[in-house]
Amino acid sequence: MSGSALSSTRFPGSIYEFLQVASALSLLLLLFKTAQFYLHRQWLLRATQQFPSPPSHWFFGHKIPMDQQLQDILTRIKNFPSACPHWLWGSKVRLQVYDPDYMKLILGRSDPKANGSYRFLAPWIGYGLLLLNGQTWFQHRRMLTPAFHYDTLKPYVGTMADSVRVMLDKWEQIIGQDSTLDIFQHITLMTLDTIMKCAFSHEGSVQLDRKYKPYIQAVEDLNNLFFLRLLNIFHQNDIIYNVSSNGRRANSACRLAHDHTDQVIKSRRAQLQDEGELEKVKKKRRLDFLDILLFSQIKNGSSLSDKDLRAEVDTFMFEGHDTTASGISWIFYALATNPEHQQRCRKEIQSLLGDGASITWDHLDKMPYTTMCIKEALRIYPPVPGVSRELSTPVTFPDGRSLPKGIPVMLSFYGLHHNPTVWPNPEVFDPSRFAPESPRHSHSFLPFSGGARNCIGKQFAMNEMKVAVALTLLRFELLPDPTRIPVPIPRLVLKSKNGIHLHLKKLQ
């Protein structure tokens, strides 16, 4: 009886002692984290002291309203030459760069992608060309470069034209006399159709099969969720993010995206089991993108794992359609709002192609004014607004200012293309900027980045843009919808907050 009473009196005491210890440990952890935050912030302040910036909150950083980031950087360009720190919160800063000399210096180095932000993409696209660094990146780049040789790209022009015509036929069926159309989703389906056929040997039409819409939606969701995660201090931690509503949505979208790419790989593997198909592929002078990866597995065994292969497929499936869709959509909008340039392009294309019954590789270099207009649209609306690097060694910029190792640098292509010291009157659509005799800095125009890590598919993308513009202008006049002016917002690719709505007027 007394033993039982003694144990019952000790039990609450044991809980009290445990709570005391837990409280003391929690307080110590809090003090440690506070000191860590303070010391790291002081180091960042010293590291960026040569670069003035707008006032920021010591904890919340620069509080920029949602989807006002592009307007904010235009303001910084006016007040802070070349570069300016952007405080995401009190212990995280990145240097935003929008000067061509700064760009040239950073892109000429071998700094890795900024892991603090790009790692959030890994659950979706894995470690393919976009996220890899060092020797592994070099090996994969060298392996995949033949997929973009001009001998490989030549026959793709006919495939691109077929996909564009399917889209234009759909437009003829759905447009009314006074209706407008949000073109972005249609163009996204068209570019996915193209990349599936060219790079992944897909048979059938993505545009006519509704089963591909969930993949398109998943990519759009992941675009938005990645951007939102970057800006949320609490979502930097994987455990916290995965239990959040956004984290659960991201995981669901990743599964949808992976189901799509897994099916693409499985289907092509099955086709290559057929001896006739295998022999036909072996006789090709150059292999398509996915066949290069699959044949590398066959030849080299485990040097390219299934995980590596899917990462490259996920990466190029996304980059090969979403980036190009953004570019084409904004090009169409730029031409719609500049009818005199649109008409000049149309006359050039009519004189070259006639009724557009066929368009070939040889035609693509014979539309100089249309190409100038495409480049000017890509200047105003760069498909990729920016990329990040993390300094692996200290850097000193041409004006003498410097940064230590470890600082993330955000290369703002949008800021560069709208920098009035680089491009006078940057908001004016002026294709003559890209006339052959017009001088410009080697790093003033970077729609496909630059340096060794430039976009491997830039020629593929330019070809597709030319084909889409040429065939569309032969069939439609593009007119803006003044009631719904698109608002550019930065995501992984440049999107519009409210869609890109155009009037499409069928030409007789």
Side-chain angles (χ1 to χ4, degrees):
M1 182 77 179
S2 60
S4 174
L6 184 61
S7 64
S8 65
T9 57
R10 283 180 178 174
F11 187 66
S14 298
I15 294 176
Y16 179 70
E17 289 168 4
F18 171 78
L19 291 175
Q20 279 188 315
V21 171
S23 299
L25 290 174
S26 299
L27 181 59
L28 286 173
L29 180 62
L30 178 62
L31 290 172
F32 172 75
K33 287 294 184 180
T34 301
Q36 191 179 48
F37 173 90
Y38 175 80
L39 292 172
H40 186 60
R41 176 173 168 78
Q42 292 304 306
W43 180 79
L44 292 173
L45 287 168
R46 290 192 300 271
T48 58
Q49 63 184 345
Q50 297 177 40
F51 298 89
S53 71
S56 62
H57 190 273
W58 68 270
F59 184 77
F60 294 109
H62 287 114
K63 293 184 283 186
I64 303 168
M66 189 63 182
D67 293 331
Q68 295 293 310
Q69 287 81 7
L70 297 179
Q71 291 80 353
D72 177 74
I73 200 164
L74 297 183
T75 302
R76 290 167 183 254
I77 291 169
K78 295 176 183 177
N79 299 319
F80 307 102
S82 302
C84 177
H86 173 208
W87 288 89
L88 294 170
W89 48 85
S91 61
K92 186 167 184 177
V93 67
R94 61 187 182 185
L95 185 75
Q96 289 181 320
V97 169
Y98 33 79
D99 174 87
D101 289 320
Y102 275 50
M103 294 275 183
K104 184 176 181 179
L105 179 60
I106 294 297
L107 290 172
R109 290 162 51 102
S110 57
D111 299 305
K113 293 292 183 75
N115 186 57
S117 54
Y118 281 100
R119 72 179 181 86
F120 298 149
L121 288 174
W124 169 20
I125 62 173
Y127 284 89
L129 278 184
L130 182 64
L131 300 189
L132 285 173
N133 292 299
Q135 187 62 25
T136 309
W137 171 83
F138 178 77
Q139 290 168 352
H140 283 218
R141 176 85 178 206
R142 184 174 57 184
M143 174 181 64
L144 291 168
T145 295
F148 303 96
H149 189 276
Y150 71 90
D151 282 340
T152 309
L153 298 179
K154 276 184 180 181
Y156 290 168
V157 173
T159 304
M160 292 171 177
D162 290 341
S163 293
V164 172
R165 291 190 186 101
V166 170
M167 178 183 75
L168 299 179
D169 290 343
K170 286 173 64 181
W171 286 0
E172 284 195 20
Q173 294 172 13
I174 62 178
I175 61 170
Q177 189 67 28
D178 299 311
S179 64
T180 64
L181 186 69
D182 186 352
I183 62 172
F184 201 99
Q185 285 292 324
H186 292 267
I187 293 174
T188 299
L189 274 171
M190 182 271 292
T191 56
L192 180 61
D193 194 15
T194 299
I195 200 65
M196 288 278 286
K197 290 174 179 174
C198 293
F200 302 108
S201 303
H202 178 71
E203 297 174 357
S205 177
V206 168
Q207 298 179 81
L208 302 177
D209 192 335
R210 295 181 63 87
K211 74 178 183 180
Y212 294 98
K213 289 193 175 181
Y215 173 73
I216 295 284
Q217 186 61 52
V219 170
E220 183 176 346
D221 291 343
L222 289 165
N223 246 302
N224 291 324
L225 291 166
F226 169 78
F227 185 76
L228 292 172
R229 186 177 183 186
L230 279 181
L231 303 179
N232 189 322
I233 185 172
F234 302 107
H235 285 174
Q236 306 305 294
N237 181 277
D238 291 340
I239 296 174
I240 294 175
Y241 184 68
N242 286 332
V243 299
S244 70
S245 59
N246 279 2
R248 293 193 298 273
R249 285 178 60 205
N251 289 332
S252 176
C254 278
R255 285 193 294 272
L256 272 172
H258 291 161
D259 287 345
H260 171 75
T261 50
D262 285 343
Q263 184 56 43
V264 167
I265 296 168
K266 181 181 177 181
S267 175
R268 187 55 180 165
R269 274 199 174 121
Q271 289 172 354
L272 293 177
Q273 296 298 314
D274 180 87
E275 288 190 12
E277 179 69 14
L278 187 59
E279 286 304 312
K280 186 173 73 173
V281 172
K282 285 180 177 179
K283 289 177 183 177
K284 291 176 69 174
R285 185 177 175 186
R286 295 188 180 275
L287 299 177
D288 296 332
F289 181 88
L290 180 54
D291 288 345
I292 286 177
L293 293 168
L294 293 173
F295 272 69
S296 177
Q297 274 198 324
I298 294 169
K299 291 178 182 178
N300 304 318
S302 61
S303 65
L304 188 73
S305 68
D306 286 347
K307 186 178 179 181
D308 294 334
L309 189 150
R310 190 176 79 172
E312 295 297 358
V313 171
D314 278 321
T315 297
F316 198 67
M317 186 73 73
F318 156 62
E319 289 200 313
H321 89 274
D322 207 34
T323 309
T324 315
S326 172
I328 294 171
S329 299
W330 288 110
I331 290 166
F332 283 3
Y333 174 71
L335 291 173
T337 51
N338 293 276
E340 67 282 11
H341 297 294
Q342 180 185 162
Q343 183 57 21
R344 187 169 169 183
C345 290
R346 184 175 290 109
K347 286 183 177 179
E348 178 180 74
I349 294 161
Q350 286 172 336
S351 67
L352 180 66
L353 300 179
D355 62 0
S358 66
I359 182 171
T360 67
W361 171 272
D362 293 333
H363 290 131
L364 301 184
D365 285 334
K366 297 176 182 176
M367 46 180 79
Y369 195 77
T370 302
T371 302
M372 288 161 55
C373 288
I374 288 172
K375 289 181 176 179
E376 176 66 349
L378 294 177
R379 181 192 66 79
I380 297 176
Y381 306 106
V384 178
V387 298
S388 293
R389 299 285 188 270
E390 187 171 303
L391 297 180
S392 56
T393 58
V395 64
T396 299
F397 293 106
D399 57 12
R401 294 187 289 182
S402 61
L403 285 175
K405 170 184 175 180
I407 297 293
V409 176
M410 173 70 178
L411 304 177
S412 175
F413 301 140
Y414 188 90
L416 171 73
H417 291 180
H418 290 259
N419 188 337
T421 63
V422 181
W423 300 98
N425 301 314
E427 306 307 319
V428 174
F429 186 85
D430 180 9
S432 68
R433 302 180 201 267
F434 294 94
E437 68 278 3
S438 297
R440 65 175 187 270
H441 192 289
S442 63
H443 285 65
S444 62
F445 177 62
L446 297 172
F448 303 106
S449 190
R453 294 198 68 144
N454 66 350
C455 174
I456 193 173
K458 63 180 181 179
Q459 189 60 54
F460 180 99
M462 277 300 295
N463 292 349
E464 190 172 3
M465 290 173 188
K466 289 180 183 181
V467 170
V469 170
L471 295 183
T472 301
L473 292 188
L474 288 177
R475 287 173 65 173
F476 293 99
E477 180 182 359
L478 307 176
L479 302 164
D481 180 352
T483 66
R484 287 185 280 195
I485 298 171
V487 179
I489 55 174
R491 296 295 185 264
L492 285 168
V493 303
L494 190 70
K495 301 277 182 151
S496 170
K497 187 175 184 179
N498 55 339
I500 300 179
H501 294 83
L502 296 180
H503 290 282
L504 303 172
K505 183 178 179 182
K506 180 74 169 69
L507 298 175
Q508 301 301 320

